[in-house]
Amino acid sequence: MTTGTAADAPPDVPPDAASTAPVVRVMGVRHHGPGSARAVAAALEELQPDVVLIEGPADADPLAVLAADPDLRPPVALLAYATDAPSQAAFWPFAVFSPEWQALTWAAAHEVPVRFCDLPSGAVLAARTDGRDAPAADGDADGADGAREADGADGAGADPAADGDAAGTDRAAGADADGADQDADAPRDADGGGPDAGDPEPSTGGDVPPARDGHALRTDPVAQLASAAGYTDPERWWEDVVEHRRDGAAPFAVLTEAMAALREAAEPLPAHEAEHEERREAHMRQTLRAVLKSGARRVAVVCGAWHAPALDGKLPPASHDAKVLRGLPKRPTATTWVPWTASRLAFASGYGAGVTSPGWYHHLFTTETDVTARWMVRVAGVLRAEDLPVSSAHAIEATRLADALAVMRGRPHPGLEEVTEAIRAVMCDGDDLLLELVTGRLVVGEALGTVPGSVPTVPLEADLRATGRRLRLKLDAVPRDLALDLRKDTDRDRSTLLRRLRLLGVHWGTPQTSAVRSTGTFRETWSLAWKPELSVAVVDAAMWGTTVPGAATAKVVDTAGNAALPALTGLVEDVLAADLPDALGALLSELDARAARDVDTAHLMAALPALVRAERYTDVRGTRTTDLTRVVDALVIRTCAALPAAVSSLDDDAAARMRDAVDAVHAAVMLRDPGHTRDLWLATLAGLADRPDLAGVLAGRVTRLLRETGTLSTQDAATRFGRALSVGATPPHKAAWVEGFLAGTGLLLARDTDLLDPLDTWVATLDEQEFTDVLPLLRRTFGGFAPAERRAVGDAVRRTTRPGATLAPVDVDEDLAAPALAAVALILGVSR
C-alpha cells in the first residue's frame, strides 16, 4: 500500500522536497512466508525507499549492516541478553524466506539505511521481571524455541513471552515437543505463525510452554478472512492467496484494510496486555516520525500484518505516543547474531510464530520453476540414500498425482498437503515411517546458519570457536557420532573440550556407549549437535571466565561449596576427565573435609565408585592422582568402620539398596591395586557374613563376594549355602538369601552341584503355601539370568538326582494334553 504521510519539513530539506508529501509503504506480512518475502522484495524494488524500517528490537540497529556480510547465512537469529543476567535472553529468528530478512539484504545490497522499529530489547526483557507474563501482541508470537535460563537448564518450567509475542520455549531436548501454547491474543494461521512478524523468542528455563490461564484468546484473523473467502482451512487460504504466489505481488493494501476491520471488532485485551500492545505500536510510530523528520521521502515499513493499520495513513499526535512510552521499563542488554536451525523455525518446536514446514517454504522461495517436480526429485534422493527402490517413474507419477489433487480441490498450485499425499501413496507405498523420514529430512530440515567472525560476542564464545576450529569440530545442527581414541593428542583434546563445556552447562556433546568393544579406557564416543539455545548457555557461562578452561575451573570451585558428598566425588571425576588441575586441589580439600564430617554411610559408599574410576584416568590422560589416592584410602577406611552398624535391622527395601551399594563399593575396591584398603574391605565383609541379624539378601551377597575373591573356598561357600536353606529360617528369608547369592549369574548353579543340590532339595520340599510365598522372589532371581544360563541350569537339574529320589513313570492323559501339545507344536513350527 502506498500512502502519502504528511510531516513538517525540517529546515534542512529543500523547498521542492518539502512541497511533496513523503511516501510511506506499510507491508503487513507473516513472519516466515515465502510469498510474503517475495512480495516484500518486489515492493522494495518498485519503491526504492530511502529508509527501510523493520519490526525488531530498536537497539539492534548496529547489527543490521552485517546482513551484507556473505558469512551471515540464515537461518540466523538476533540474540539479546541482559548483561546483568545473561541467561535472560530473547531471539528474533530469520530464514531466507522471512520477509524481514529479504528487507535486510535488499537494503544492504542497495546501501539503504535500515532501522528496527519495535521496542528495544531492554524493554522486552524488563517486561519479564515485573512478575507477570508479557502479553502476546498479535499472532506474530515467536515462542522461544531455543533459549533457556540458567536456573532452568534441566527443562523445568518455561518463561512466558518476552515482549508479549513469544509463547514458550523449545520442547527439546529433544525434542519431542508438539506445539506451543497459543498466546493470549495471538491470531494464527494454520501454520502456527499468524500474519505478524518480528517478535522475539524469550530465553526461558524449560522445554514446555506455559499455559496462559485467564487470557482470552483473540479470534484468529486469518481464519476469519479464510471463512469469508469460502475456505474451511485458514492455512490453505493463506498459502493460496499469499505464499504460493509467483508474481511477487501481495495484497498489502487489502490485508491492511482487512486487519483494520478485524482490529475494530476484536474483543478487548486484559489491561497489561493492552498497555504493552499500545507501547509497541507507539514506539514504531515514533521511529517512523523520526525517520521522516530526518528527511526521508520514501520509507518502507515491514511489520506484522496485525500492526499495519496502526502505522498506515495519518498518524496520531506524537505527544500521545510520547505519553504512552513514558515510564517504559528498561534493562541493560547486549545484542548479537547467532546461528539458528531450520527445525527451530518449526511450530512443533514450540516456536509460536513458526511454520509447520520450513524446508518446504525454503523450497518454495528458492525454486523458480517446476516447484512440485523438483521437490519430488529431492524426495527420491532422500529415499534412495536409504537404499529404497525409488525410480524416476515414481517421481513423475507423484508429481502428476499432486497436480491432479490440486485441480480436484480447486487450488492454483499443489500445496504441502497434496504433495505429502502423493509422496505417501507413490513413493512410500503408504508407509508412514518412510513419510516421517522425508518430513524430518526435507519438510522440516536441519540446516544450521552461520555468522561471521566480526559479529560481536563474549570472549568465552570467541575462545570456544577458536578451539573448535583448531580441533576441527564443526558447529553442526545435524547430530553426528564422534569416536575418540584418547591415546591420540587431538582426540584427547576434543574429549577435554566437550567435558569442560558440559561442566559449564553447554551440552554440545553427549557421551554415548562406544560401538567398539574394548576393555580399555581409551575409547569414547560422543554425539554432537549444536542447538541454538547453546548460544545462550555460552553467554551465561561467560560470567565465569574468558576462556573455556578458566571458566570451567571457576564454576567447578563455586559448585563444590554446596555439593553433597556423592555429587562432590562425581565432580572430582568430571574434573579429572576435563583436565582441570587448578580445580582439583580445591575439590580434594573440600572432599576430604566433607568426608570427615559426613556420618551418612550411604553417602560414603556412594562417593567411592566415582573416585576410584577417576583414579583410572591416570593410565590414559597422564593426570597425577596421588592426592586423590590418599582421599580414596581415607574414604574406604571410614566406610569399613561405619558399615557394620549401617546393616543392622534393615527392611527388605533398605536391604536391597544396601546390597547394591555394597556391590558398587566392592567393584570399585577390587579395581584398585592390591593394598591394605582391599584387605580391610574383605575383612569387613567377612565380619558381616556370620552375623545372624543380617538381612537375607545381604548375607547371600556377602557370601558370594567372599567366594569370588577366594576369601571363602568353594566348599565353605557351599556349606553356608546349605546352612542358609536348612530348617530354622523362614522361606522368604531363604529366598532372599538365594537371591543375594545368585543374582547376576546362573552359571554358579550350572557348574557347582554343591550349590545346586541343596537348592533343588529345598524347592522340592516346600509345601504349597511356602512355595506360593517364595515364588515371586525365585522368579525375580532366575528371571535375571540370561536365557543360555537358565537353559544350563535346567540341564544341570535334569542330570542331578536327589538322594533317595526315584523316577516313577507318570501317567499322561493324551486326550487332555492334545490341545496343549498342538499349541506348542504350532509355536515351535513343528508338525506332530
Side-chain angles (χ1 to χ4, degrees), residues 11 19 45 58 149 189 217 249 282 313 336-337 355 408 440 465 521 571 649 686 699 736 750:
S19 63
E45 282 293 333
E149 293 182 8
D189 59 0
L217 293 180
T336 186
W337 287 105
V355 294
M408 292 173 58
R465 293 185 178 276
T521 60
L571 204 55
S649 304

Side-chain angles (χ1 to χ4, degrees), residues 674-700:
H676 69 280
T677 55
R678 179 184 292 189
D679 296 338
L680 178 61
W681 171 251
L682 295 177
T684 302
L685 293 184
L688 298 178
D690 295 320
R691 284 178 47 171
D693 64 332
L694 202 61
V697 70
L698 268 175

Side-chain angles (χ1 to χ4, degrees), residues 308-384:
L311 304 176
D312 188 53
K314 184 177 181 180
L315 302 180
S319 58
H320 171 269
D321 289 340
K323 182 178 180 181
V324 169
L325 292 171
R326 190 174 299 131
L328 185 70
K330 297 179 181 179
R331 194 172 185 184
T333 60
T335 58
T336 186
W337 287 105
V338 295
W340 204 248
T341 64
S343 63
R344 294 306 171 92
L345 293 167
F347 181 63
S349 70
Y351 174 26
V355 294
T356 59
S357 51
W360 168 251
Y361 270 12
H362 184 274
H363 178 76
L364 284 181
F365 183 75
T366 57
T367 305
E368 295 296 332
T369 59
D370 299 323
V371 174
T372 305
R374 294 177 185 275
W375 180 258
M376 295 303 180
V377 170
R378 295 182 62 192
V379 172
V382 168
L383 296 176
R384 286 173 182 169

Side-chain angles (χ1 to χ4, degrees), residues 7-18 292-295 297:
D8 293 336
D12 55 344
V13 177
D16 57 338
L292 293 172
K293 189 175 181 180
S294 68
R297 312 310 299 165

Side-chain angles (χ1 to χ4, degrees), residues 515-712:
V516 180
R517 305 188 67 176
S518 173
T519 58
T521 60
F522 58 85
R523 293 191 184 278
E524 287 184 354
T525 301
W526 293 78
S527 177
L528 301 186
W530 185 266
K531 299 178 181 179
E533 64 265 28
L534 295 180
S535 297
V536 174
V538 172
V539 172
D540 188 39
M543 63 179 290
W544 299 107
T546 58
T547 65
V548 174
T553 297
K555 185 174 182 181
V556 164
V557 172
D558 181 77
T559 303
N562 300 314
L565 183 60
L568 195 58
T569 59
L571 204 55
V572 171
E573 184 179 17
D574 292 339
V575 163
L576 283 171
D579 191 18
L580 298 173
D582 292 340
L584 184 60
L587 277 181
L588 291 180
S589 298
E590 183 68 28
L591 178 62
D592 201 12
R594 193 76 58 84
R597 297 192 304 266
D598 202 320
V599 296
D600 190 328
T601 308
H603 282 179
L604 296 174
M605 299 178 73
L608 268 170
L611 289 180
V612 174
R613 286 195 302 270
E615 279 188 296
R616 300 185 67 191
Y617 276 109
T618 188
D619 298 333
V620 177
R621 299 176 185 269
T623 305
R624 294 185 60 185
T625 57
T626 305
D627 293 337
L628 180 59
T629 300
R630 178 180 54 81
V631 174
V632 174
D633 288 343
L635 210 54
V636 173
I637 293 172
R638 294 189 178 101
T639 300
C640 291
L643 188 58
V647 298
S648 298
S649 304
L650 298 178
D651 60 21
D652 291 343
D653 291 338
R657 290 194 296 270
M658 183 58 72
R659 184 268 314 271
D660 294 339
V662 168
D663 278 347
V665 172
H666 180 79
V669 171
M670 299 310 291
L671 279 176
R672 307 187 72 204
D673 294 332
H676 69 280
T677 55
R678 179 184 292 189
D679 296 338
L680 178 61
W681 171 251
L682 295 177
T684 302
L685 293 184
L688 298 178
D690 295 320
R691 284 178 47 171
D693 64 332
L694 202 61
V697 70
L698 268 175
R701 180 47 56 98
V702 167
T703 303
R704 161 84 172 275
L705 296 178
L706 291 173
R707 180 186 182 277
E708 288 180 345
T709 58
T711 305
L712 284 179

Side-chain angles (χ1 to χ4, degrees), residues 157-159 167-171 177 179-181 206-211 349-350:
D159 224 6
T169 69
D170 73 295
R171 306 274 303 262
D181 67 310
D207 295 328
V208 182
S349 70

